[in-house]
Amino acid sequence: MGSMISLAVGRLEVDWGKNNGFVDHSALFQSDDTAQIPYYYAGQEIEGADGAPDWEVITELKEGLSKPLAQVIERINLLGHTHSVCDAEFAALAEFNGFDATTFSFSDLREALASIDVSSLSPNYGEGSEDFGKFFRRQILPRLGLKASGPDPMELGCIAEGMENLSAYTILHLLAENPTARGLNVQWAFNDVEDGGWAKRSDFVKPVDQSSRFLIVTEGSSDAAIIGNGFRLLRPHIADFFDFVDMEEGYPFTGTGNVFRFVQGLISIRVLNNVIVVYDNDAEGAANFERTRQLNLPANLAVIKLPELACFKAFTTVGPNGRHLANINSRAAAIECYLDLPADAAVRWSSYNAKIGAYQGELVGKEKYARAFLDLRARSTAYRFDNIASVLDVIVRTATNMREKLMAETFADLYSGRLESL
């Protein structure tokens, strides 16, 4: 029979393989996701509840990878497989398998999957387990046939064939909307393939491939350190997707002008890495952000500015005329302003930049606030993370958008190529 490997939510397999023929799902997990998970095997033949032959299910706990479905979805999004890509994949499958996507739409599939009680599945291991193809034919296809003005019997067969080829990541996206599946873990049962000598542990537990990671370039070492610690504290389940410039021997890109020139250099050498350049939300950062956006940026290079926040519209500032409330968005909001600041925190106006036509300001005591944040080793309810979380959200959204377009094009090319070859 060989050694089997499966990716499952509860008892519903969304992908499976055998021996050395399997899809690499290692990017869905991190090294600390290794756990004892259930493996299901067929035992002796028994009489089923309806009198028909059935098989005893033997459950054994072995090592595998396990992660909450909600966290896996965030990792899938960073791989570029977003809801939009799921929709595009469905449309490509409809065209390739010859069924009408208006008769059976992606929304129909979403609604059908949302109404199934995934936790109550009892797989028939005499037939190889409850994979998604079998699940679709048993649980969802009969409902489609009862739908008014639904697909005819011949089209139902085309739909079933198409759904058997639906990718595991689209299935996981849809299951995340199911109340009975939302709280379950995604589990990758690889132990039998490993023990069978078909693959090594390092084939399953390994870092995310470089092609799927993102290099974050900031204006200074403080920015990189703060953003990096933000991911470790608030988004540890996706932190390994993001790399930062090595600062061991001095940060090489201090200042907005140097960052701009660095971006020009990356473009000229046609860098292959996914790069996200982050400018401060201050006068110089805003000016260089706009200047960088005018460059002919490749698809794997994105430029963003720290987000403008409502709380910065009336921030205490200190200048020649004393203390006043002022809008520091695009004028003086460097990364330290996004930390947990006391009520008396203030920005001091330092100089007028004639080149950009705006005053530049700096947070008073910014080093103290940065040290306090970098000293945090765990998330604390006593610390306000809202502002720094907004920075992480912008970075994650930008990274997702970068990969989404590539993934959508991949599915379109895959099925259009198959159609052309027929």
Side-chain angles (χ1 to χ4, degrees):
M1 180 179 178
S3 302
M4 304 299 293
I5 180 173
S6 65
L7 185 74
V9 178
R11 283 188 166 184
L12 175 60
E13 289 183 2
V14 297
D15 192 29
W16 62 273
K18 183 177 180 180
N19 297 338
N20 60 354
F22 60 88
V23 176
D24 181 5
H25 295 299
S26 61
L28 304 187
F29 305 93
Q30 294 164 291
S31 59
D32 58 359
D33 291 326
T34 305
Q36 295 288 308
I37 65 174
Y39 287 66
Y40 303 104
Y41 304 96
Q44 296 181 345
E45 183 175 335
I46 59 175
E47 182 177 330
D50 57 358
D54 204 343
W55 284 263
E56 176 188 10
V57 176
I58 298 174
T59 304
E60 295 183 16
L61 291 178
K62 299 181 181 180
E63 274 198 319
L65 288 162
S66 180
K67 200 175 196 70
L69 177 56
Q71 294 183 6
V72 168
I73 293 301
E74 291 190 50
R75 296 180 71 84
I76 289 175
N77 284 335
L78 283 169
L79 293 171
H81 204 111
T82 62
H83 262 297
S84 296
V85 170
C86 295
D87 204 343
E89 181 194 3
F90 183 90
L93 282 170
E95 181 181 5
F96 181 75
N97 289 276
F99 67 85
D100 187 351
T102 60
T103 304
F104 173 58
S105 67
F106 188 61
S107 294
D108 292 330
L109 177 62
R110 177 187 284 118
E111 291 174 9
L113 275 179
S115 64
I116 298 293
D117 185 359
V118 176
S119 62
S120 67
L121 289 179
S122 180
N124 184 336
Y125 287 88
E127 298 180 14
S129 84
E130 190 76 84
D131 62 29
F132 186 75
K134 186 193 301 179
F135 171 79
F136 184 87
R137 289 179 180 274
R138 287 179 175 178
Q139 301 285 349
I140 298 178
L141 202 57
R143 301 179 182 214
L144 302 181
L146 297 175
K147 180 181 174 183
S149 68
D152 59 40
M154 183 173 295
E155 191 173 15
L156 286 173
C158 294
I159 291 172
E161 289 181 8
M163 294 305 97
E164 286 179 356
N165 292 302
L166 196 66
S167 71
Y169 296 171
T170 290
I171 298 169
L172 290 174
H173 258 294
L174 295 174
L175 288 175
E177 301 177 18
N178 184 309
T180 66
R182 194 175 297 145
L184 298 177
N185 275 24
V186 178
Q187 298 178 330
W188 199 22
F190 62 77
N191 186 266
D192 290 347
V193 168
E194 181 188 15
D195 282 354
W198 296 102
K200 300 178 181 178
R201 174 61 62 99
S202 58
D203 293 317
F204 308 106
V205 184
K206 59 182 181 180
V208 176
D209 288 342
Q210 194 63 48
S211 61
S212 297
R213 293 161 74 152
F214 303 86
L215 178 64
I216 307 298
V217 177
T218 63
E219 294 183 36
S221 59
S222 177
D223 303 63
I226 288 171
I227 293 172
N229 202 42
F231 272 111
R232 286 187 290 273
L233 293 172
L234 304 181
R235 309 282 192 275
H237 54 286
I238 57 172
D240 54 321
F241 275 89
F242 300 96
D243 298 317
F244 298 85
V245 176
D246 188 358
M247 297 172 290
E248 288 297 318
E249 298 187 15
Y251 196 74
F253 308 123
T254 302
T256 57
N258 287 338
V259 173
F260 177 79
R261 287 189 289 275
F262 176 64
V263 173
Q264 289 179 308
L266 293 179
I267 295 172
S268 67
I269 65 173
R270 299 179 182 178
V271 65
L272 298 178
N273 302 69
N274 301 307
V275 180
I276 299 176
V277 178
V278 184
Y279 284 110
D280 282 339
N281 179 23
D282 58 14
E284 287 193 12
N288 280 283
F289 168 68
E290 293 299 334
R291 187 161 65 129
T292 308
R293 290 176 66 190
Q294 304 307 311
L295 298 174
N296 186 21
L297 298 174
N300 63 317
L301 201 159
V303 56
I304 62 175
K305 184 184 72 170
L306 295 179
E308 297 193 4
L309 301 182
C311 61
F312 293 160
K313 291 182 178 180
F315 200 91
T316 301
T317 62
V318 180
N321 297 322
R323 299 173 71 92
H324 298 280
L325 295 180
N327 186 352
I328 63 169
N329 282 310
S330 294
R331 299 175 70 192
I335 189 67
E336 291 84 3
C337 292
Y338 293 80
L339 304 178
D340 186 5
L341 304 178
D344 61 351
V347 160
R348 183 180 299 280
W349 298 118
S350 54
S351 61
Y352 181 78
N353 189 324
K355 186 176 179 180
I356 59 180
Y359 281 95
Q360 178 79 15
E362 182 176 272
L363 181 67
V364 178
K366 65 178 186 178
E367 294 84 1
K368 175 181 64 176
Y369 303 127
R371 282 196 302 271
F373 179 75
L374 295 175
D375 286 343
L376 292 175
R377 292 294 175 264
R379 189 165 183 167
S380 169
T381 56
Y383 196 96
R384 293 175 295 176
F385 291 99
D386 293 355
N387 290 350
I388 194 63
S390 69
V391 173
L392 305 185
D393 290 341
V394 172
I395 293 173
V396 170
R397 186 162 57 247
T398 301
T400 300
N401 291 341
M402 289 174 67
R403 295 287 297 169
E404 179 186 62
K405 183 178 180 181
L406 176 63
M407 188 61 65
E409 291 173 349
T410 298
F411 275 112
D413 292 343
L414 173 65
Y415 289 106
S416 64
R418 290 185 183 180
L419 284 169
E420 291 171 2
S421 66
L422 295 177

